[in-house]
Amino acid sequence: MPTSTLELACELVRRPSITPEDAGCQDLLAGHLHALGFRVRSLPFGEVSNLWARRGTKPPLFVFLGHTDVVPPGPKDAWSTHPFEPVLKDGYLHGRGSADMKGSLAAMVTACARFTERHPAPAGSIALLVTSDEEGPARDGTRRVVDTLSDVIDWCVVGEPSSTERVGDTIKHGRRGSLNGRLAVHGVQGHVAYPERTVNPIHGACAAIAEILGIEWDEGSDDFPPTRFQVSNIRSGTGAVNVVPATLEADFNLRYSPALDDAVIRARVETVLERHGLRWSIEWEHSAAPFITRGGRLVEAAKSAVREVSGVEPTLSTAGGTSDGRFVAPTGAEVIELGPVNATIHQVDERVACADLDRLSRMYEGILDRLLATPDGNGAR
């Protein structure tokens, strides 16, 4: 039997697994899972460590999906505690990764331990897929593992911190697509006093960007907010106030719903740039396609488990950024995200309520009960 959820979370936080480093987290998890009867495989790709652990061979297959890598802590003197020394204070576990998402990983393992003790021969198989490449480029982690595996995944719970005020109050049942662009607009450099001899890329780019900002891409839906265009960086100028620069660069992103696809978005952006008569080029990066799990047994099992453990009626949402669930959804699996409160993720003094880790573990166990319990198991629902 593994240690408690809190104790296991502390052991994971203690390992400084800044992406793409795993720092021994997966070895720790593998030891606990092996003791529970999981067949453990290490699937490294490049600098990325990946763990695939499966218990059982028959369908249906339920998968817990998570990551051991964390974002850098930033200046350590800005923290009230050491970012990689787990500290229990005022009912919270403090440390980088405590909420995103080492606490969830610990809850997954302890949920599996209790469930398999009561149901040693469940009505299906359980697996954990753990990567160290979620906070990084996400090229050699879950994406590569899913492409490599022959296992057919039926249900997948991602441990991303989905909750807002109370653990379980929000279940992510889908995510928007994400399309990045790096725009370069080329002009002719020269003295600002002789504009007839120059082509100012700032003027042209600003007019085109303003038109793109005004595009109504779609109206959104009951499940997805409207598509949005956001400029994140603009770079231009020579440093001198009397010089028209030769180039402007702008980084932008669109978070989009299934009402669109990335090819349509690219074409509309490029049409605007052409209409403004600019000399331009764009480097596109499509980092995520939208997905949604509508209905299905997994959503209902998760909602029921949350209600039983916390008395909260969870809200279904597709808001927020992307997650590795985007690599599993195209296989046809039902995918949701359920994890701790996300108020402090990626911040200084990241923390998670200790009691929430136990609640989350029981929610995960409740989902397993509703999907894979056998009638002859002790405590079957």
Side-chain angles (χ1 to χ4, degrees):
M1 180 74 175
T3 56
S4 74
T5 304
L6 179 58
E7 288 173 322
L8 182 53
C10 289
E11 287 301 311
L12 291 168
V13 169
R14 188 168 283 115
R15 290 159 168 77
S17 53
I18 299 172
T19 190
E21 293 296 325
D22 170 70
C25 291
Q26 291 178 25
D27 286 341
L28 175 65
L29 295 171
H32 286 298
L33 293 170
H34 180 75
L36 295 175
F38 283 75
R39 180 174 178 269
V40 179
R41 295 170 60 191
S42 176
L43 297 171
F45 295 105
E47 298 180 334
V48 176
S49 300
N50 300 295
L51 175 71
W52 174 252
R54 176 167 177 164
R55 188 181 189 278
T57 58
K58 63 185 179 182
L61 174 59
F62 178 98
V63 173
F64 283 119
L65 175 61
H67 62 90
T68 53
D69 60 321
V70 299
V71 296
K76 292 181 181 178
D77 57 5
W79 286 66
S80 59
T81 65
H82 191 288
F84 295 112
E85 183 56 43
V87 173
L88 305 180
K89 183 172 66 173
D90 300 325
Y92 286 85
L93 167 61
H94 292 248
R96 175 59 85 221
S98 55
D100 187 13
M101 57 171 288
K102 294 180 175 181
S104 297
L105 290 171
M108 292 170 182
V109 172
T110 55
C112 287
R114 293 191 304 274
F115 177 78
T116 55
E117 182 179 34
R118 293 188 295 108
H119 299 282
S125 303
I126 308 171
L128 275 79
L129 195 170
V130 184
T131 184
S132 66
D133 188 34
E134 198 277 342
E135 300 290 7
R139 288 191 295 263
D140 291 327
T142 303
R143 181 201 300 264
R144 293 287 299 274
V145 175
V146 170
D147 288 343
T148 300
L149 293 174
S150 59
D151 308 62
V152 177
I153 300 171
D154 295 280
W155 302 301
C156 178
V157 173
V158 189
E160 290 293 343
S162 63
S163 305
T164 53
E165 301 292 335
R166 296 177 60 187
V167 63
D169 63 5
T170 304
I171 295 172
K172 300 292 177 70
H173 68 315
R175 290 285 194 167
R176 294 172 293 174
S178 178
L179 178 63
N180 301 300
R182 172 161 290 180
L183 169 67
V185 177
H186 309 286
V188 176
Q189 182 174 322
H191 198 292
V192 296
Y194 301 94
E196 68 278 4
R197 300 176 186 173
T198 68
V199 176
N200 195 319
I202 298 176
H203 297 176
C206 286
I209 289 172
E211 181 175 339
I212 296 169
L213 283 167
I215 293 175
E216 184 175 330
W217 299 92
D218 55 49
E219 297 180 352
S221 66
D222 291 341
D223 296 309
F224 288 90
T227 297
R228 292 285 186 258
F229 173 89
Q230 291 289 328
V231 178
S232 54
N233 290 287
I234 292 181
R235 300 171 294 277
S236 191
T238 64
V241 298
N242 60 350
V243 177
V244 171
T247 305
L248 174 140
E249 291 183 342
D251 300 326
F252 60 87
N253 175 269
L254 291 105
R255 297 298 166 106
Y256 69 95
S257 76
L260 297 171
D261 63 44
D262 63 297
V264 170
I265 296 172
R266 296 182 200 204
R268 292 186 71 177
V269 169
E270 292 175 2
T271 297
V272 172
L273 297 172
E274 287 293 331
R275 185 163 55 246
H276 281 261
L278 305 177
R279 291 173 50 224
W280 59 272
S281 60
I282 292 182
E283 296 177 11
W284 293 105
E285 179 195 13
H286 187 224
S287 57
F291 72 90
I292 189 165
T293 297
R294 290 188 175 92
R297 292 184 62 192
L298 178 58
V299 170
E300 292 308 312
K303 290 168 66 176
S304 176
V306 169
R307 284 193 295 264
E308 180 183 62
V309 172
S310 66
V312 171
E313 182 60 42
T315 298
L316 299 180
S317 171
T318 62
T322 60
S323 81
D324 275 5
R326 69 191 189 272
F327 303 127
V328 178
T331 70
E334 296 177 24
V335 179
I336 65 166
E337 299 170 31
L338 174 60
V341 173
N342 56 26
T344 62
I345 61 172
H346 291 209
Q347 296 181 12
V348 167
D349 286 339
E350 180 182 349
R351 58 195 177 275
V352 64
C354 299
D356 282 354
L357 295 181
D358 289 329
R359 294 188 186 101
L360 185 61
S361 180
R362 286 188 283 126
M363 290 174 188
Y364 289 160
E365 182 185 6
I367 296 172
L368 291 172
D369 274 333
R370 286 159 176 80
L371 296 175
L372 296 179
T374 51
D376 58 344
N378 296 325
R381 300 175 190 278

